[in-house]
Amino acid sequence: GAVVSQHPSRVICKSGTSVKIECRSLDFQATTMFWYRQFPKKSLMLMATSNEGSKATYEQGVEKDKFLINHASLTLSTLTVTSAHPEDSSFYICSARALQGRGGELFFGEGSRLTVL
Amino acid sequence: DAKTTQPPSMDCAEGRAANLPCNHSTISGNEYVYWYRQIHSQGPQYIIHGLKNNETNEMASLIITEDRKSSTLILPHATLRDTAVYYCIDTTGNQFYFGTGTSLTVIP
């Protein structure tokens, strides 16, 4: 099946620093990528939708200046958590939707666990 | 915003069929219902999706009611490795919003 890769899988940073998480579709081109965050024992919460070559669409309540999303190519989207604080500690998961030929299925990465000290 | 309703938890004996229900009463006429599962601290794994007809693949079967307001995911012979949180997703609006899911525990 299709593979979506996230990097890093775990990151620990100091409060006030910025962290970048990469999401790559390895064997298909993704017109749309989605970013989710997940707190312990909770469901996935959609943060934003990014389309290649255009600005991301953020869900209500998600600060776009805090969570910068760049979808520079059909295989790469990045999420940058700017000026991270302990409350940003979470599990961040990306997903990618393929171009025609994959039936619109959504493929998920393995997630990136961010811990802000 | 989640548009699906699922029971929070279920148990199933190993080797028996696990039937997981989902209510998606607000789904629009041409949107698919997707099912994913998530094992602890991993990314969600695709299981199956359908529009109107019942679907079957190597992992599961999906039964969709005629009015499309609900569906049931069937794992025909549950194993211990099927213990996970199962999410049914209404993709109305071309978005994948996760509901609270059903935590399935397969018991030996």
Side-chain angles (χ1 to χ4, degrees), chain A residues 84-108:
Chain A
H85 291 285
E87 58 265 29
D88 298 323
S89 298
S90 189
F91 193 50
Y92 292 89
I93 307 171
C94 76
S95 61
R97 200 168 198 182
L99 294 170
Q100 289 183 353
R102 293 280 188 167
E105 191 177 318
L106 205 60
F107 301 97
F108 285 84

mmCIF file of all heavy atoms in Angstrom, chain A residues 84-108:
data_model
loop_
_atom_site.group_PDB
_atom_site.id
_atom_site.type_symbol
_atom_site.label_atom_id
_atom_site.label_comp_id
_atom_site.label_asym_id
_atom_site.label_seq_id
_atom_site.Cartn_x
_atom_site.Cartn_y
_atom_site.Cartn_z
ATOM 1 N N ALA A 84 7.209 27.242 20.528
ATOM 2 C CA ALA A 84 6.472 26.157 21.189
ATOM 3 C C ALA A 84 6.412 26.347 22.705
ATOM 4 O O ALA A 84 7.359 26.844 23.327
ATOM 5 C CB ALA A 84 7.124 24.822 20.856
ATOM 6 N N HIS A 85 5.302 25.957 23.272
ATOM 7 C CA HIS A 85 5.111 25.988 24.720
ATOM 8 C C HIS A 85 4.655 24.612 25.187
ATOM 9 O O HIS A 85 4.200 23.792 24.372
ATOM 10 C CB HIS A 85 4.088 27.063 25.087
ATOM 11 C CG HIS A 85 4.585 28.446 24.860
ATOM 12 N ND1 HIS A 85 5.496 29.046 25.694
ATOM 13 C CD2 HIS A 85 4.326 29.343 23.877
ATOM 14 C CE1 HIS A 85 5.778 30.262 25.236
ATOM 15 N NE2 HIS A 85 5.078 30.457 24.143
ATOM 16 N N PRO A 86 4.745 24.333 26.471
ATOM 17 C CA PRO A 86 4.371 22.996 26.958
ATOM 18 C C PRO A 86 2.975 22.545 26.526
ATOM 19 O O PRO A 86 2.772 21.355 26.281
ATOM 20 C CB PRO A 86 4.473 23.149 28.475
ATOM 21 C CG PRO A 86 5.557 24.161 28.674
ATOM 22 C CD PRO A 86 5.365 25.143 27.542
ATOM 23 N N GLU A 87 2.043 23.465 26.392
ATOM 24 C CA GLU A 87 0.681 23.069 25.981
ATOM 25 C C GLU A 87 0.615 22.617 24.530
ATOM 26 O O GLU A 87 -0.411 22.071 24.090
ATOM 27 C CB GLU A 87 -0.313 24.209 26.215
ATOM 28 C CG GLU A 87 0.018 25.493 25.500
ATOM 29 C CD GLU A 87 0.803 26.455 26.385
ATOM 30 O OE1 GLU A 87 1.549 25.999 27.282
ATOM 31 O OE2 GLU A 87 0.669 27.669 26.159
ATOM 32 N N ASP A 88 1.693 22.846 23.762
ATOM 33 C CA ASP A 88 1.756 22.358 22.378
ATOM 34 C C ASP A 88 2.215 20.913 22.321
ATOM 35 O O ASP A 88 2.204 20.302 21.241
ATOM 36 C CB ASP A 88 2.700 23.228 21.545
ATOM 37 C CG ASP A 88 2.233 24.673 21.464
ATOM 38 O OD1 ASP A 88 1.005 24.891 21.387
ATOM 39 O OD2 ASP A 88 3.100 25.569 21.488
ATOM 40 N N SER A 89 2.634 20.385 23.446
ATOM 41 C CA SER A 89 3.048 18.982 23.482
ATOM 42 C C SER A 89 1.865 18.115 23.066
ATOM 43 O O SER A 89 0.770 18.224 23.624
ATOM 44 C CB SER A 89 3.505 18.594 24.892
ATOM 45 O OG SER A 89 4.628 19.352 25.283
ATOM 46 N N SER A 90 2.103 17.279 22.080
ATOM 47 C CA SER A 90 1.010 16.474 21.541
ATOM 48 C C SER A 90 1.563 15.480 20.534
ATOM 49 O O SER A 90 2.756 15.474 20.220
ATOM 50 C CB SER A 90 -0.021 17.381 20.850
ATOM 51 O OG SER A 90 -1.184 16.662 20.490
ATOM 52 N N PHE A 91 0.683 14.653 20.012
ATOM 53 C CA PHE A 91 0.998 13.723 18.934
ATOM 54 C C PHE A 91 0.450 14.338 17.651
ATOM 55 O O PHE A 91 -0.752 14.585 17.552
ATOM 56 C CB PHE A 91 0.339 12.372 19.240
ATOM 57 C CG PHE A 91 0.790 11.222 18.401
ATOM 58 C CD1 PHE A 91 2.137 10.958 18.217
ATOM 59 C CD2 PHE A 91 -0.130 10.376 17.801
ATOM 60 C CE1 PHE A 91 2.563 9.876 17.453
ATOM 61 C CE2 PHE A 91 0.288 9.283 17.040
ATOM 62 C CZ PHE A 91 1.632 9.042 16.871
ATOM 63 N N TYR A 92 1.334 14.629 16.705
ATOM 64 C CA TYR A 92 0.918 15.258 15.453
ATOM 65 C C TYR A 92 0.982 14.216 14.341
ATOM 66 O O TYR A 92 1.996 13.534 14.171
ATOM 67 C CB TYR A 92 1.816 16.452 15.124
ATOM 68 C CG TYR A 92 1.639 17.599 16.096
ATOM 69 C CD1 TYR A 92 2.397 17.661 17.254
ATOM 70 C CD2 TYR A 92 0.695 18.590 15.865
ATOM 71 C CE1 TYR A 92 2.231 18.695 18.162
ATOM 72 C CE2 TYR A 92 0.514 19.628 16.761
ATOM 73 C CZ TYR A 92 1.279 19.674 17.909
ATOM 74 O OH TYR A 92 1.099 20.696 18.807
ATOM 75 N N ILE A 93 -0.094 14.126 13.583
ATOM 76 C CA ILE A 93 -0.199 13.103 12.545
ATOM 77 C C ILE A 93 -0.568 13.765 11.228
ATOM 78 O O ILE A 93 -1.487 14.602 11.188
ATOM 79 C CB ILE A 93 -1.278 12.049 12.883
ATOM 80 C CG1 ILE A 93 -1.045 11.471 14.279
ATOM 81 C CG2 ILE A 93 -1.282 10.937 11.843
ATOM 82 C CD1 ILE A 93 -2.190 10.596 14.755
ATOM 83 N N CYS A 94 0.132 13.390 10.175
ATOM 84 C CA CYS A 94 -0.227 13.914 8.867
ATOM 85 C C CYS A 94 -0.861 12.815 8.036
ATOM 86 O O CYS A 94 -0.689 11.623 8.320
ATOM 87 C CB CYS A 94 0.978 14.490 8.145
ATOM 88 S SG CYS A 94 2.081 13.253 7.453
ATOM 89 N N SER A 95 -1.592 13.214 7.034
ATOM 90 C CA SER A 95 -2.163 12.251 6.101
ATOM 91 C C SER A 95 -2.158 12.865 4.716
ATOM 92 O O SER A 95 -2.125 14.087 4.564
ATOM 93 C CB SER A 95 -3.576 11.858 6.515
ATOM 94 O OG SER A 95 -4.416 12.983 6.515
ATOM 95 N N ALA A 96 -2.189 12.005 3.724
ATOM 96 C CA ALA A 96 -2.103 12.466 2.350
ATOM 97 C C ALA A 96 -3.149 11.767 1.508
ATOM 98 O O ALA A 96 -3.408 10.566 1.679
ATOM 99 C CB ALA A 96 -0.707 12.192 1.787
ATOM 100 N N ARG A 97 -3.707 12.558 0.609
ATOM 101 C CA ARG A 97 -4.715 12.022 -0.295
ATOM 102 C C ARG A 97 -4.126 12.043 -1.693
ATOM 103 O O ARG A 97 -3.617 13.062 -2.146
ATOM 104 C CB ARG A 97 -5.977 12.861 -0.244
ATOM 105 C CG ARG A 97 -7.206 12.160 -0.738
ATOM 106 C CD ARG A 97 -8.437 12.949 -0.392
ATOM 107 N NE ARG A 97 -9.629 12.117 -0.461
ATOM 108 C CZ ARG A 97 -10.849 12.542 -0.246
ATOM 109 N NH1 ARG A 97 -11.052 13.806 0.060
ATOM 110 N NH2 ARG A 97 -11.873 11.719 -0.305
ATOM 111 N N ALA A 98 -4.219 10.925 -2.374
ATOM 112 C CA ALA A 98 -3.553 10.789 -3.649
ATOM 113 C C ALA A 98 -4.362 11.418 -4.776
ATOM 114 O O ALA A 98 -5.533 11.725 -4.653
ATOM 115 C CB ALA A 98 -3.330 9.305 -3.962
ATOM 116 N N LEU A 99 -3.647 11.593 -5.855
ATOM 117 C CA LEU A 99 -4.320 11.998 -7.077
ATOM 118 C C LEU A 99 -5.222 10.879 -7.544
ATOM 119 O O LEU A 99 -5.265 9.808 -6.946
ATOM 120 C CB LEU A 99 -3.276 12.311 -8.148
ATOM 121 C CG LEU A 99 -2.384 13.515 -7.899
ATOM 122 C CD1 LEU A 99 -1.252 13.549 -8.918
ATOM 123 C CD2 LEU A 99 -3.188 14.791 -7.966
ATOM 124 N N GLN A 100 -5.910 11.071 -8.643
ATOM 125 C CA GLN A 100 -6.784 10.044 -9.183
ATOM 126 C C GLN A 100 -6.003 8.753 -9.376
ATOM 127 O O GLN A 100 -4.849 8.755 -9.757
ATOM 128 C CB GLN A 100 -7.350 10.497 -10.522
ATOM 129 C CG GLN A 100 -8.357 11.612 -10.391
ATOM 130 C CD GLN A 100 -8.952 12.001 -11.737
ATOM 131 O OE1 GLN A 100 -8.500 11.519 -12.762
ATOM 132 N NE2 GLN A 100 -9.947 12.852 -11.718
ATOM 133 N N GLY A 101 -6.639 7.682 -9.127
ATOM 134 C CA GLY A 101 -6.022 6.369 -9.271
ATOM 135 C C GLY A 101 -5.937 5.660 -7.940
ATOM 136 O O GLY A 101 -5.709 4.476 -7.880
ATOM 137 N N ARG A 102 -6.117 6.397 -6.870
ATOM 138 C CA ARG A 102 -6.052 5.778 -5.547
ATOM 139 C C ARG A 102 -7.404 5.800 -4.865
ATOM 140 O O ARG A 102 -7.495 5.472 -3.703
ATOM 141 C CB ARG A 102 -5.031 6.524 -4.688
ATOM 142 C CG ARG A 102 -3.613 6.358 -5.172
ATOM 143 C CD ARG A 102 -3.018 5.047 -4.734
ATOM 144 N NE ARG A 102 -1.596 4.973 -5.044
ATOM 145 C CZ ARG A 102 -0.781 4.051 -4.565
ATOM 146 N NH1 ARG A 102 -1.251 3.123 -3.755
ATOM 147 N NH2 ARG A 102 0.488 4.037 -4.888
ATOM 148 N N GLY A 103 -8.423 6.211 -5.511
ATOM 149 C CA GLY A 103 -9.766 6.148 -4.954
ATOM 150 C C GLY A 103 -10.036 7.114 -3.840
ATOM 151 O O GLY A 103 -10.989 6.938 -3.084
ATOM 152 N N GLY A 104 -9.222 8.149 -3.700
ATOM 153 C CA GLY A 104 -9.480 9.137 -2.668
ATOM 154 C C GLY A 104 -9.197 8.667 -1.268
ATOM 155 O O GLY A 104 -9.589 9.288 -0.303
ATOM 156 N N GLU A 105 -8.511 7.561 -1.152
ATOM 157 C CA GLU A 105 -8.187 7.033 0.171
ATOM 158 C C GLU A 105 -7.187 7.937 0.870
ATOM 159 O O GLU A 105 -6.337 8.557 0.238
ATOM 160 C CB GLU A 105 -7.599 5.643 -0.027
ATOM 161 C CG GLU A 105 -7.413 4.797 1.197
ATOM 162 C CD GLU A 105 -6.898 3.429 0.790
ATOM 163 O OE1 GLU A 105 -7.396 2.879 -0.206
ATOM 164 O OE2 GLU A 105 -5.993 2.919 1.460
ATOM 165 N N LEU A 106 -7.288 8.015 2.168
ATOM 166 C CA LEU A 106 -6.379 8.834 2.960
ATOM 167 C C LEU A 106 -5.349 7.935 3.623
ATOM 168 O O LEU A 106 -5.697 6.964 4.290
ATOM 169 C CB LEU A 106 -7.187 9.576 4.026
ATOM 170 C CG LEU A 106 -6.626 10.878 4.587
ATOM 171 C CD1 LEU A 106 -6.444 11.898 3.488
ATOM 172 C CD2 LEU A 106 -7.541 11.421 5.659
ATOM 173 N N PHE A 107 -4.092 8.259 3.406
ATOM 174 C CA PHE A 107 -3.008 7.476 3.993
ATOM 175 C C PHE A 107 -2.353 8.292 5.096
ATOM 176 O O PHE A 107 -2.070 9.464 4.918
ATOM 177 C CB PHE A 107 -1.976 7.111 2.930
ATOM 178 C CG PHE A 107 -2.556 6.324 1.791
ATOM 179 C CD1 PHE A 107 -2.938 6.955 0.612
ATOM 180 C CD2 PHE A 107 -2.736 4.953 1.887
ATOM 181 C CE1 PHE A 107 -3.491 6.237 -0.431
ATOM 182 C CE2 PHE A 107 -3.287 4.225 0.846
ATOM 183 C CZ PHE A 107 -3.668 4.875 -0.315
ATOM 184 N N PHE A 108 -2.107 7.650 6.218
ATOM 185 C CA PHE A 108 -1.583 8.347 7.391
ATOM 186 C C PHE A 108 -0.121 8.019 7.646
ATOM 187 O O PHE A 108 0.335 6.896 7.414
ATOM 188 C CB PHE A 108 -2.389 7.973 8.635
ATOM 189 C CG PHE A 108 -3.739 8.624 8.690
ATOM 190 C CD1 PHE A 108 -4.814 8.059 8.022
ATOM 191 C CD2 PHE A 108 -3.927 9.800 9.380
ATOM 192 C CE1 PHE A 108 -6.061 8.665 8.044
ATOM 193 C CE2 PHE A 108 -5.171 10.410 9.424
ATOM 194 C CZ PHE A 108 -6.239 9.845 8.750
#
